[in-house]
Amino acid sequence: MVTQAKLQYYRHNYCLVCMTGVLGCRWHRYKQSTRDSRKRDLLWFTLFVITFLFIIFYFYFWLIAKNSFDDLNWQMFKLIKSWVPWYKIMLGLTCAAFGYMFIVMFLYLCHAYHGHQLYIHPIHIVLIIATLLCCVAMCIALDNQWATQFYVLYLSLKVTGPFLQIGTVILLTSLTWLIAGQWYKIRNLAIKWSLLLFFIIIMVGLYITPLYIKSPCVISIEELPPKPKLLSHRGASRIAPENTLIAFQKANESGVYGYESDVVISFDGVPYLMHDSTLRRTTNIKDVFPDRIDDDVSMFNISDVKKLNAGGWFLETDPMWSVSSLTEEDKIIYKNQSIPTLEEFIQLAVETNKIVIFDLRLPPIYHPYFNQSINITIDAIQRAGLKLQNLWWLEDTTLESRKGVKLTAEMYEPLQYLHDNNITNVNVQYDEITADQIREYKEDNITTNVWLINSKWFLSYYWCIGAESITTNNCDILSQMESPVWQLEPSNYLILWVSIDVLSVIIITTIFIVHRVRLYGTSFSPETISLNAAKNAYKSRTMKEQLLGRDVNHDPSDDVERNGVLNRPAAYSMASLPGDSSYRPYSEHVATRPDAKYELE
């Protein structure tokens, strides 16, 4: 009797070829493996997860640091004496690293889902280690040079924390199908139950996190304080060259409450506006006085200062990424800006009815007007006609007498100190005062101005805690905000996070039950578990062995490897075409499986 052998063919899966090829450079089907991952594979995967979490942290960090990105550029300018958009560079590198890590993580998850060995190519390992080392080095550098941004990060979590918690719960819940599938494959009971306990602890921690998230944006609409007033930082410096008259005119168009600036004294005793200690960054001094690029700003006569252009640099360097949005008319105006004197600046403030606050930067002690700097400044203000009660005079520059100005503290001071010195106003950087201290001041009729606030989320934070005013570069943007970025009634927020947590628990429990039923059926007896475990045992076979045994429809689940692990190739299968009805398998009790899968290594 002649039997007809069934033809066998490969079912190519090019997606899986790409999956194993990109991650482990296993492009050939014979190199792919569904054996258990080796210890070194798990080690590299753990290292990758740590690096991936680092990159996620930095990705979030640089997004939040956009509030003060010009500070980073300015600090680096002082070091290298050249303007480079460092924030853009760091954000771009982080985005590239995040994209790469995300792709690798996706490939890892695909390998786990399809049961492939978590093999990773050495090139990826080198890149992962290099990225991790760069992350650690960057963390040290930021802590030394830009530590204030870690406090900004902390404040941002108060605003974004509720949504990060909800998003993390949703993400881990969506990954539970894969997590549960891998958990059931673990044969070591100690490791198995330890991992389950670890997963439960993480999820319970996430579920109760809202109890410890004190977001100021979770507030009833009736208790929401008024929007803080806006003070323009060196004018509308996002869309105009800083410390120029056009910058303050643009700020006035945005409806700001007041102007903030910086004042220095010229060599011939005239106060004028300038922030830096040199004229290198914000003027064309390299063209006009190339031999005086690094001279102190107090060593120039006002006539020399007026020869410099104070607007062209803004169009050339585009420090705030806004030049593309300017009109041609604005560009022409900016090209013809000069450095204003304090008197010219005050005259504009009087015309627009704004309050004024500035840092008076005293000249060197050998300057001819060092001892007269404060009186010269007050005289210029009075000549310009500003009411002294509209002047916020910073406390660190001591006046001989109060002269009617509104004395302003520059850091958090106890209430008793403020009362003793008749101080009713505080101008402070965001990392030098807390929300509770701002509320404390407000209850005692002490007004608080916080600087430097450039992001909508940051303004929302101080809006909800009750700050009276903030100083910003982005007055043109923040002036358009009519409400915080988000505000939620406490009862509604409670319903939201509790509902999501309960739904997550139900979904996770259901997934684990479904996986158990798929693997062990509805009964739970040692015999059933043993039989199902035997079905999942495997043994790798070469292509030659498969071809030699093609006349027998052999079930690969009958071949068990020494370690008792099944060979379950996910990438390719060999299927038989319909053959003679007289064909029979080894056993009458084993059904023919036309889609039986074989390992190809």
Side-chain angles (χ1 to χ4, degrees):
M1 181 178 180
V2 179
T3 60
Q4 180 181 358
K6 298 181 181 181
L7 297 176
Q8 296 176 327
Y9 65 94
Y10 288 110
R11 186 178 62 193
H12 294 280
N13 191 325
Y14 296 104
C15 290
L16 293 178
V17 169
C18 292
M19 179 189 80
T20 57
V22 173
L23 185 65
C25 203
R26 292 181 171 181
W27 298 98
H28 201 285
R29 57 181 176 266
Y30 298 120
K31 294 182 179 180
Q32 298 171 9
S33 175
T34 55
R35 293 190 179 95
D36 282 351
S37 298
R38 300 160 297 184
K39 290 183 179 180
R40 62 174 177 269
D41 295 329
L42 298 177
L43 174 63
W44 295 129
F45 176 71
T46 302
L47 185 67
F48 167 77
V49 170
I50 295 172
T51 308
F52 187 53
L53 293 176
F54 239 130
I55 289 297
I56 291 175
F57 165 78
Y58 275 111
F59 185 72
Y60 180 79
F61 174 87
W62 289 113
L63 291 180
I64 295 301
K66 187 179 180 182
N67 178 80
S68 307
F69 75 90
D70 58 311
D71 285 349
L72 174 64
N73 294 338
W74 181 70
Q75 292 290 343
M76 294 302 296
F77 177 84
K78 291 195 299 184
L79 292 175
I80 65 175
K81 307 299 182 183
S82 179
W83 186 263
V84 178
W86 289 102
Y87 177 80
K88 277 187 176 181
I89 293 173
M90 298 308 301
L91 181 61
L93 291 175
T94 304
C95 288
F98 178 79
Y100 165 71
M101 291 290 173
F102 182 83
I103 293 173
V104 174
M105 176 59 78
F106 178 76
L107 293 173
Y108 261 128
L109 294 178
C110 289
H111 275 67
Y113 178 79
H114 288 284
H116 277 262
Q117 193 177 54
L118 299 181
Y119 175 80
I120 186 170
H121 195 270
I123 291 180
H124 289 300
I125 296 174
V126 171
L127 291 175
I128 291 169
I129 294 176
T131 303
L132 181 59
L133 293 177
C134 288
C135 288
V136 173
M138 180 60 65
C139 189
I140 296 173
L142 290 173
D143 186 59
N144 289 332
Q145 300 295 326
W146 212 22
T148 56
Q149 290 309 299
F150 290 110
Y151 186 73
V152 176
L153 200 70
Y154 165 73
L155 295 181
S156 74
L157 293 177
K158 290 182 174 292
V159 178
T160 62
F163 299 101
L164 292 177
Q165 183 266 342
I166 291 173
T168 306
V169 169
I170 293 174
L171 176 63
L172 289 182
T173 302
S174 63
L175 291 175
T176 302
W177 181 268
L178 180 60
I179 293 172
Q182 296 301 309
W183 181 78
Y184 275 109
K185 294 178 183 178
I186 300 174
R187 293 183 296 278
N188 188 304
L189 291 180
I191 296 177
K192 186 172 186 176
W193 293 107
S194 297
L195 291 177
L196 180 61
L197 179 61
F198 179 68
F199 179 72
I200 292 174
I201 291 174
I202 290 178
M203 295 308 300
V204 171
L206 286 173
Y207 293 152
I208 66 174
T209 296
L211 296 175
Y212 305 96
I213 297 177
K214 305 300 181 182
S215 176
C217 295
V218 180
I219 185 174
S220 62
I221 192 66
E222 294 82 9
E223 298 176 356
L224 184 66
K227 178 182 177 179
K229 299 171 184 177
L230 304 182
L231 275 68
S232 60
H233 184 239
R234 309 175 201 167
S237 52
R238 189 190 78 87
I239 56 174
E242 65 182 58
N243 282 330
T244 59
L245 292 181
I246 187 61
F248 294 105
Q249 291 168 0
K250 291 288 186 181
N252 178 58
E253 294 173 4
S254 298
V256 298
Y257 175 63
Y259 303 143
E260 186 277 344
S261 187
D262 308 276
V263 177
V264 297
I265 308 296
S266 70
F267 194 73
D268 51 354
V270 179
Y272 69 95
L273 304 190
M274 180 54 57
H275 174 269
D276 296 5
S277 60
T278 70
L279 298 169
R280 177 192 288 265
R281 180 174 67 92
T282 59
T283 71
N284 63 336
I285 189 173
K286 64 180 180 180
D287 300 324
V288 181
F289 302 113
D291 56 335
R292 303 184 66 187
I293 292 178
D294 294 319
D295 286 3
D296 189 275
V297 291
S298 298
M299 296 294 105
F300 291 82
N301 290 326
I302 195 63
S303 57
D304 292 335
V305 171
K306 284 295 185 179
K307 294 178 183 179
L308 301 174
N309 183 289
W313 71 275
F314 186 85
L315 301 176
E316 294 172 4
T317 60
D318 192 14
M320 298 293 185
W321 315 346
S322 60
V323 171
S324 60
S325 65
L326 301 177
T327 64
E328 291 301 320
E329 181 182 358
D330 284 338
K331 292 179 181 179
I332 294 174
I333 295 174
Y334 292 177
K335 288 179 181 178
N336 296 283
Q337 289 299 303
S338 61
I339 300 174
T341 63
L342 174 61
E343 193 168 343
E344 293 170 338
F345 166 62
I346 296 298
Q347 288 173 351
L348 177 62
V350 172
E351 293 172 2
T352 55
N353 192 28
K354 307 298 181 186
I355 66 101
V356 172
I357 180 173
F358 57 80
D359 282 310
L360 176 58
R361 302 180 182 276
L362 298 177
I365 194 170
Y366 52 82
H367 191 278
Y369 290 91
F370 173 77
N371 294 322
Q372 305 174 46
S373 298
I374 295 177
N375 290 333
I376 288 174
T377 302
I378 293 294
D379 290 342
I381 293 171
Q382 292 178 325
R383 284 197 305 269
L386 181 70
K387 298 177 181 178
L388 291 183
Q389 59 265 32
N390 288 340
L391 173 63
W392 291 4
W393 188 270
L394 298 178
E395 182 191 20
D396 67 336
T397 309
T398 306
L399 287 171
E400 295 177 359
S401 63
R402 297 303 168 85
K403 297 181 181 295
V405 301
K406 187 173 183 178
L407 198 61
T408 302
E410 283 203 277
M411 63 181 67
Y412 172 79
E413 299 285 2
L415 287 174
Q416 188 61 47
Y417 173 86
L418 299 180
H419 292 320
D420 292 343
N421 291 274
N422 295 321
I423 298 175
T424 58
N425 192 38
V426 177
N427 178 61
V428 63
Q429 191 174 4
Y430 49 73
D431 64 331
E432 296 177 351
I433 193 167
T434 65
D436 290 337
Q437 291 169 342
I438 291 176
R439 296 188 182 103
E440 176 190 12
Y441 279 165
K442 189 171 185 178
E443 292 174 358
D444 207 66
N445 295 322
I446 304 294
T447 57
T448 307
N449 180 72
V450 185
W451 58 277
L452 186 62
I453 311 302
N454 295 320
S455 302
K456 290 184 177 181
W457 72 264
F458 217 179
L459 173 59
S460 300
Y461 173 80
Y462 286 103
W463 187 337
C464 293
I465 66 176
E468 281 76 16
S469 62
I470 60 102
T471 302
T472 179
N473 292 328
N474 299 347
C475 53
D476 58 311
I477 295 176
L478 301 187
S479 62
Q480 300 175 13
M481 290 181 61
E482 298 180 356
S483 61
V485 289
W486 70 276
Q487 172 270 326
L488 200 59
E489 297 285 339
S491 58
N492 294 340
Y493 176 58
L494 178 64
I495 294 172
L496 177 63
W497 71 263
V498 169
S499 300
I500 290 178
D501 288 356
V502 171
L503 186 60
S504 172
V505 170
I506 294 173
I507 293 175
I508 290 175
T509 304
T510 303
I511 289 175
F512 271 89
I513 292 175
V514 169
H515 269 288
R516 182 198 175 281
V517 172
R518 288 178 64 249
L519 291 172
Y520 305 128
T522 55
S523 60
F524 190 76
S525 65
E527 293 80 5
T528 305
I529 297 175
S530 177
L531 290 173
N532 280 280
K535 289 181 180 179
N536 292 326
Y538 70 84
K539 179 181 180 180
S540 299
R541 297 192 303 162
T542 63
M543 183 61 190
K544 180 178 179 180
E545 290 172 331
Q546 294 177 24
L547 293 176
L548 290 174
R550 66 182 181 273
D551 57 330
V552 179
N553 186 18
H554 183 65
D555 191 336
S557 65
D558 294 335
D559 294 330
V560 181
E561 203 175 23
R562 293 186 184 91
N563 59 6
V565 183
L566 271 156
N567 185 13
R568 298 178 294 98
Y572 302 98
S573 63
M574 299 181 65
S576 300
L577 296 174
D580 193 293
S581 59
S582 62
Y583 179 81
R584 293 291 184 271
Y586 280 132
S587 172
E588 296 279 336
H589 304 288
V590 181
T592 302
R593 300 192 303 155
D595 288 331
K597 296 181 179 180
Y598 296 83
E599 172 69 359
L600 306 177
E601 289 192 320

